[in-house]
């Protein structure tokens, strides 16, 4: 009985081992389904591919047709790759349009020099911006016939015109025609600089297409006529008509229109107030262009040929255009929040120093440019306190408006070493600290000294004075690190991003001339921030002061310790005496400090120096980065510095360089003995005209200081109980009685 019950229970409750075969069967089914599905999919894909191949065999071509389609296929492949490349190139160009690029037209600025004399204008005077429909028809035709005959037919880039220009240039063996359209020139004026690089030309092309897509032809033409530089410090055809002819742009005749149209190509060369015969010859070419382009007949232009335009006699005082361009950018930055954008701006520029700076650069290039194979130079002079007194952005503003003082990024060479040594002085080193000049390898790089010689154990003063290369690299490797050096340079005033690679201590990270002048000005300022600035005051036409540098600028802060500055000044003032900058030493015993810089292959030559009164950075080189003929910072840059600073230091009270006493002036006998054998390589000196004697100048300054320190005026009681009030006014002191009283 019990056995039967156990058998029945076994039947009702199967054992767990019996489930295992069932699970194996399930996994086998799943595996079988996967195999069959994959095989079926592959089989069907193969069938589809075979059917597709059979279908496309109908379109198979042979012979010349096959060659055509092969080329077409390759073209589509290259076109796709080219489209990706074009997009990559276009993105940087379109970044230029992100800002408010129309904002320049919101400003109309009249600039004054440091003494209140008018020196130029920037921005668009709204009343002078005339709509295209109101301009004379012959002016529009003259501009288009000369600058872009197919303006209304192309979409920013004229490929036919470009091909024609290339053909004509090939025939002539040089550049006789330009291929840029009017829209491309506007793109350059609005967004780019005049720097001659492939990158700029690529951006210019894309921006021209962007302008054509976003503006009408009339808007493009109006902007071009309003923004182009027309010589004589004028921008826009309306301003040029007033400057050259003394009349509104709507009143110019055909001869005057032809002369204006001829200025777009080279405003400095064809400016009529500078070279009237050249301007008239150029205007005659414009008249010929009108006839050749079919816009006018010879009979219509014959009167303008026989009676060329006459111009208003203008004093030939050059406007400081490079400085004004930079100052205008500063005004737009400072005055952006102001409700009023028609402004009068008092700048820091000293026109006497500016003209001397321009003459120093130009005379250096004229005298030594051919022998050194150098074509360009730039200079910035900053007075103690940060005021920019002179700025030269290139040899000829009319030929190129690219400001090499503020925009050109060039390697500073050994002139960058001062930031390494300044950082070392902050760490406790002194000019007497002994360092080792010996071969060194850092991250696989082995820098060499000039002449490939090593001096062994030398002092820091000797190392910087002789511009030894291995020692700043050794300091960066063993004691400082490139991050600390870069931070020191930025703190002193270098605004350009500083690279921190291993070669940076030798000056491979690019800077601007303005940056160098700003940073070096920390040394004569005793370690305080130099606070460079070109704007002293901004006023509206009611005389209200909207901005004052002394009131609104942040206070100076210390960027180098007094110990570090004193040590650096002791070294830098020895470089014009025993170092590489002996041609920068000034006359009359005025102490000078500074450092030369020469880059690899002699592409750039620098001298950045200072006295207690001024700091000046000088650069010479070529726009296309070609090498000079072994020009060093101790040659032409140092001589240019000396010529300008000898002029600037005449007739003023000299400040001492912190940590350095002012050397007494040399006796007349010593000066005459020195001048008896002049340096054959020196530039001729500039003589500063004297308007006041030194004694009178000191007396006037003393009187001015007395007035500044005087107590404010107070009311006092007059006889009869009446109160007289003394009030300071712009014409002196005014005395009035209080309300309710009368004057006796």
């Amino acid at each position: 009985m019990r056995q039967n019950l156990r058998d029945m229970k076994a039947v009702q409750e199967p054992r767990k081992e019996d489930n295992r075969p069932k699970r194996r069967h399930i996994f086998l089914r799943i595996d079988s389904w996967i195999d069959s599905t994959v095989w079926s999919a592959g089989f069907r894909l193969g069938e589809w591919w075979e059917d597709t191949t059979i279908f496309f065999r109908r379109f198979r071509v042979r012979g010349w047709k096959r060659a055509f389609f092969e080329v077409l296929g390759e073209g589509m492949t290259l076109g796709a790759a080219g489209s990706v490349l074009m997009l990559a190139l276009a993105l940087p160009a379109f970044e230029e349009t992100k800002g408010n690029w129309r904002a320049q037209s919101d400003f109309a600025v009249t600039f004054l020099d440091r003494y209140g004399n008018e020196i130029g204008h920037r921005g668009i005077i709204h009343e002078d911006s005339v709509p295209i429909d109101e301009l004379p028809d012959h002016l529009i035709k003259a501009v288009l016939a000369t600058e872009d005959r197919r303006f209304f037919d192309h979409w920013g880039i004229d490929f036919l015109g470009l091909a024609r220009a290339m053909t004509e240039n090939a025939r002539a063996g040089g550049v006789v025609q330009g291929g840029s359209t009017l829209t491309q020139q506007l793109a350059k004026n609005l967004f780019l600089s005049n720097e001659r690089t492939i990158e700029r030309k690529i951006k210019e092309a894309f921006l021209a297409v962007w302008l054509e897509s976003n503006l009408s032809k009339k808007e493009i033409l109006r902007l071009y006529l309003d923004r182009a530089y027309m010589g004589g410090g004028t921008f826009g055809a309306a301003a040029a008509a007033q400057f050259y002819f003394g009349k509104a742009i709507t009143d110019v005749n055909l001869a005057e229109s032809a002369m204006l149209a001829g200025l777009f190509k080279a405003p400095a060369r064809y400016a009529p107030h500078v070279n009237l015969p050249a301007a008239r010859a150029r205007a005659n070419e414009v008249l010929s262009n009108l006839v050749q382009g079919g816009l006018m007949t010879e009979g219509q232009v014959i009167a303008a040929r026989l009676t060329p335009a006459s111009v208003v006699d203008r004093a030939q005082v050059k406007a400081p255009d490079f400085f004004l361009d930079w100052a205008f950018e500063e005004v737009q930055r400072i005055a952006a929040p102001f409700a009023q954008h028609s402004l009068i701006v008092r700048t820091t520029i000293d026109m006497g120093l500016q003209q001397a700076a321009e003459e120093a650069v130009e005379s250096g290039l004229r005298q030594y440019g051919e022998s050194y194979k150098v074509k360009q130079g730039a200079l910035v002079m900053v007075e103690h306190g940060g005021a920019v007194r002179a700025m030269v952005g290139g040899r000829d503003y009319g030929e190129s408006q690219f400001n090499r003082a503020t925009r050109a990024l060039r390697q500073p060479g050994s002139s960058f070493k001062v930031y390494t040594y300044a950082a070392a002085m902050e760490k406790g080193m002194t000019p007497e600290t002994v360092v080792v000049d010996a071969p060194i390898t850092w991250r696989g790089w082995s820098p060499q000294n000039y002449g490939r010689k090593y001096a062994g154990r030398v002092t820091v003063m000797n190392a910087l004075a002789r511009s030894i290369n291995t020692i700043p690299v050794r300091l960066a490797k063993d004691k400082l690190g490139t991050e600390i050096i870069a931070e020191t340079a930025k703190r002193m005033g270098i605004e350009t991003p500083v690279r921190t690679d291993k070669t940076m201590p030798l000056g491979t990270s690019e800077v601007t001339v303005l940056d160098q002048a700003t940073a070096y000005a920390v040394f004569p300022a005793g370690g305080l921030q130099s606070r460079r600035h070109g704007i002293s005051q901004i006023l509206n036409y009611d005389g209200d002061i909207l901005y004052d540098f002394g009131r609104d600028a942040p206070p100076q802060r210390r960027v180098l310790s007094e110990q570090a500055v004193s040590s650096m000044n002791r070294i830098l003032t020895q470089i014009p005496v025993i170092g590489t900058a002996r041609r920068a030493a000034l006359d009359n015993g005025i102490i000078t400090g500074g450092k030369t810089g020469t880059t690899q292959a002699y592409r750039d030559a620098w001298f950045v120096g200072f006295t207690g009164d001024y700091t000046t950075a000088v650069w010479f080189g070529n726009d296309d980065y070609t090498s000079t003929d072994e020009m060093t910072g101790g040659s032409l840059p140092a001589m240019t510095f000396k010529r300008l600073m000898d002029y600037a230091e005449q007739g003023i009270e000299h400040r001492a360089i912190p940590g350095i006493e002012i050397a007494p002036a040399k006796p007349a006998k010593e000066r005459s003995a020195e001048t008896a054998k002049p340096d054959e390589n020196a530039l001729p000196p500039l003589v500063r005209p004297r308007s006041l004697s030194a004694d009178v100048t000191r007396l006037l300054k003393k009187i001015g200081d007395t007035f500044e320190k005087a107590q404010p005026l107070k009311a006092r009681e007059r006889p009869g109980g009446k109160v007289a009030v003394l009030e300071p006014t712009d014409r002196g002191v005014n005395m009035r009685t209080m309300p309710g009283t009368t004057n006796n």
Side-chain angles (χ1 to χ4, degrees):
M1 183 67 177
R2 292 180 180 177
Q3 181 65 33
N4 293 333
L5 290 174
R6 283 195 295 269
D7 293 340
M8 292 175 63
K9 187 176 181 181
V11 173
Q12 294 174 357
E13 297 179 8
R15 289 179 299 177
K16 294 182 179 179
E17 291 82 13
D18 295 337
N19 293 329
R20 294 177 182 174
K22 292 183 178 181
R23 292 177 182 171
R24 285 197 295 269
H25 294 328
I26 292 172
F27 290 137
L28 286 173
R29 291 193 189 101
I30 293 174
D31 181 64
S32 176
W33 178 83
I34 293 174
D35 290 343
S36 62
T37 303
V38 172
W39 182 86
S40 298
F43 180 77
R44 290 171 184 171
L45 181 61
E47 286 185 328
W48 174 83
W49 180 254
E50 185 177 358
D51 293 341
T52 304
T53 304
I54 294 172
F55 174 78
F56 277 103
R57 283 175 183 171
R58 304 174 185 176
F59 304 100
R60 182 176 295 177
V61 293
R62 290 179 175 82
W64 68 269
K65 292 183 179 180
R66 180 174 181 177
F68 171 78
F69 282 105
E70 287 288 344
V71 172
L72 181 62
E74 292 297 327
M76 294 178 65
T77 303
L78 294 175
S83 299
V84 175
L85 177 61
M86 294 284 281
L87 179 61
L89 294 173
L91 288 176
F94 295 152
E95 287 289 326
E96 304 286 346
T97 66
K98 280 189 173 180
N100 185 10
W101 57 273
R102 294 180 182 267
Q104 180 175 338
S105 62
D106 295 335
F107 286 88
V109 182
T110 299
F111 286 100
L112 313 177
D113 67 5
R114 64 179 297 194
Y115 301 112
N117 302 308
E118 185 177 314
I119 55 174
H121 303 268
R122 285 296 185 271
I124 304 300
I125 301 176
H126 304 298
E127 291 77 8
D128 287 348
S129 184
V130 181
I132 290 295
D133 294 334
E134 298 180 16
L135 293 175
D137 181 65
H138 48 71
L139 173 64
I140 301 298
K141 289 181 177 179
V143 172
L144 295 181
T146 305
E147 297 299 311
D148 191 354
R149 296 181 188 178
R150 290 173 40 82
F151 174 67
F152 289 100
D153 298 324
H154 62 68
W155 192 256
I157 302 174
D158 185 7
F159 293 102
L160 293 177
L162 182 61
R164 182 181 63 251
M166 293 175 64
T167 302
E168 292 297 326
N169 293 337
R171 289 177 179 174
V175 179
V176 296
Q177 282 191 16
S180 295
T181 64
L182 187 147
T183 312
Q184 287 177 271
Q185 296 178 52
L186 175 62
K188 180 182 66 176
N189 293 338
L190 289 177
F191 303 109
L192 306 172
S193 67
N194 280 3
E195 190 176 14
R196 296 178 179 178
T197 61
I198 296 177
E199 179 184 5
R200 195 216 78 190
K201 294 298 292 184
I202 293 173
K203 286 185 176 181
E204 181 183 289
F206 281 110
L207 289 170
V209 176
W210 184 88
L211 286 172
E212 293 279 354
S213 302
N214 289 271
L215 300 177
S216 67
K217 288 289 186 179
K218 285 186 177 181
E219 288 178 309
I220 292 172
L221 184 57
R222 183 184 64 81
L223 285 171
Y224 180 75
L225 292 174
D226 282 345
R227 303 294 180 91
Y229 179 65
M230 304 290 283
T234 62
F235 284 81
Q242 288 285 355
F243 182 79
Y244 294 124
F245 310 125
K247 61 174 64 174
I249 188 67
T250 53
D251 298 330
V252 295
N253 56 37
L254 177 58
E256 293 163 344
S257 295
M259 187 170 286
L260 290 176
L263 292 173
F264 291 101
K265 181 179 180 181
R269 187 186 310 166
Y270 299 122
H273 72 301
V274 175
N275 192 342
L276 184 58
R280 286 177 171 173
R282 174 64 177 165
N284 197 48
E285 291 181 19
V286 173
L287 295 173
S288 298
N289 291 337
L290 283 167
V291 176
Q292 294 172 4
L295 299 176
M296 285 189 175
T297 64
E298 184 63 38
Q300 290 175 302
V301 303
I302 188 65
R305 292 187 192 276
L306 296 175
T307 310
S310 299
V311 298
V312 176
D313 186 19
R314 300 286 184 184
Q316 296 204 17
V317 178
K318 292 181 64 178
D321 289 310
F322 288 113
F323 174 84
L324 291 180
D325 286 348
W326 173 68
F328 185 52
E329 294 174 358
E330 293 293 294
V331 169
Q332 292 179 81
R333 177 180 59 83
I334 296 171
F338 300 163
Q340 296 167 299
H341 285 177
S342 293
L343 306 169
I344 299 173
V345 175
R346 182 184 290 268
T347 68
T348 59
I349 196 168
D350 185 311
M351 288 305 296
L353 295 176
Q354 174 67 23
Q355 292 175 19
E358 292 175 357
E359 187 174 345
V361 172
E362 175 58 27
S363 61
L365 288 171
R366 190 168 54 246
Q367 186 169 349
Y368 294 101
E370 185 174 351
S371 59
Y372 280 126
K373 295 182 180 178
V374 59
K375 296 180 180 179
Q376 282 294 349
L379 178 151
V380 173
M381 171 185 271
V382 179
E383 192 172 1
H384 180 79
V388 177
R389 296 303 187 202
M391 177 182 289
V392 180
R395 190 169 189 176
D396 190 335
Y397 184 83
E399 291 292 334
S400 170
Q401 291 86 54
F402 178 64
N403 193 335
R404 296 156 189 83
T406 62
R407 296 193 175 190
L409 296 176
R410 308 294 296 220
Q411 290 185 349
S414 294
S415 63
F416 193 86
K417 292 176 182 176
V418 297
Y419 310 120
T420 301
Y421 284 95
M425 298 302 169
E426 290 283 355
K427 295 292 185 180
M429 296 183 71
T430 67
E432 290 75 27
T433 300
V434 176
V435 290
V436 178
D437 175 25
I440 183 175
T441 299
W442 187 21
R443 303 175 190 170
W445 172 57
S446 301
Q448 300 287 334
N449 289 330
Y450 185 77
R452 299 181 180 274
K453 297 180 180 179
Y454 302 96
R457 294 172 60 84
V458 295
T459 63
V460 169
M461 177 178 290
N462 199 357
L464 184 54
R466 294 169 58 184
S467 198
I468 296 174
N469 285 338
T470 63
I471 291 176
V473 177
R474 192 178 302 277
L475 291 174
K477 176 186 176 184
D478 299 338
K479 296 182 179 297
L480 302 173
T482 55
E483 293 288 347
I484 292 178
I485 298 171
E487 178 58 32
T488 301
K490 293 176 184 177
R491 197 169 63 246
M492 292 177 65
I494 299 295
E495 295 186 0
T496 306
V498 179
R499 299 199 310 269
T500 56
D501 56 78
K502 59 190 177 184
T503 63
M504 178 264 278
L506 298 187
T508 58
S509 184
E510 294 87 353
V511 297
T512 66
V513 180
L514 182 60
D515 281 345
Q516 289 280 76
T518 303
Y520 271 68
V522 169
F523 297 123
L528 296 176
Q529 186 183 29
S530 62
R531 296 199 303 171
R532 74 172 185 219
H533 60 282
I535 307 299
S536 297
Q537 285 184 333
I538 299 178
L539 305 90
N540 60 22
Y541 278 87
D542 294 329
D544 302 321
I545 298 177
L546 306 179
Y547 169 85
D548 185 276
F549 177 82
R551 179 192 68 193
D552 301 320
Q556 278 184 309
R557 58 184 177 87
R558 179 164 293 280
V559 295
L560 288 178
S561 66
E562 293 183 6
Q563 175 270 330
V565 170
S566 178
S567 296
M568 288 300 299
N569 285 342
R570 286 171 54 198
I571 299 174
L572 294 174
T573 52
Q574 289 301 305
I575 293 178
V577 179
I578 62 172
T580 58
R582 300 186 185 187
R583 292 180 179 176
L586 303 189
D587 297 333
N588 297 330
I590 299 173
I591 296 178
T592 303
K595 183 70 184 76
T596 58
T598 308
T599 63
Q600 189 174 13
Y602 299 98
R603 290 190 180 93
D604 305 275
W606 296 76
F607 182 74
V608 191
F610 56 87
T611 63
D613 307 298
Y614 300 101
T615 301
T616 300
V618 183
W619 166 86
F620 284 98
N622 294 312
D623 286 341
D624 57 2
Y625 294 91
T626 54
S627 299
T628 64
D629 190 2
E630 298 187 358
M631 181 176 63
T632 65
S635 58
L636 184 56
M639 289 188 287
T640 302
F641 170 88
K642 170 182 167 54
R643 189 171 194 227
L644 174 60
M645 296 296 279
D646 275 339
Y647 174 91
E649 294 288 346
Q650 295 175 26
I652 65 172
E653 291 190 18
H654 306 296
R655 296 174 55 91
I657 298 174
I660 308 295
E661 295 183 359
I662 297 179
K666 295 181 180 180
K669 291 183 179 179
E670 292 185 23
R671 294 200 302 271
S672 61
E674 290 180 357
T675 55
K677 296 180 179 180
D679 183 2
E680 295 180 357
N681 294 320
L683 294 170
L686 296 170
V687 180
R688 190 168 188 172
R690 175 173 288 283
S691 56
L692 295 174
S693 66
D695 292 337
V696 172
T697 302
R698 281 193 291 270
L699 178 60
L700 291 176
K701 289 183 65 177
K702 184 177 180 180
I703 293 173
D705 293 339
T706 302
F707 276 114
E708 288 184 0
K709 297 176 182 177
Q711 295 294 325
L713 299 174
K714 297 181 180 179
R716 60 185 178 85
E717 187 174 343
R718 299 184 63 188
K722 298 176 182 178
V723 177
V725 180
L726 298 175
E727 296 179 322
T729 68
D730 57 350
R731 295 186 178 180
V733 178
N734 179 45
M735 185 176 71
R736 67 177 178 84
T737 57
M738 293 293 289
T741 64
T742 57
N743 291 327
N744 292 331

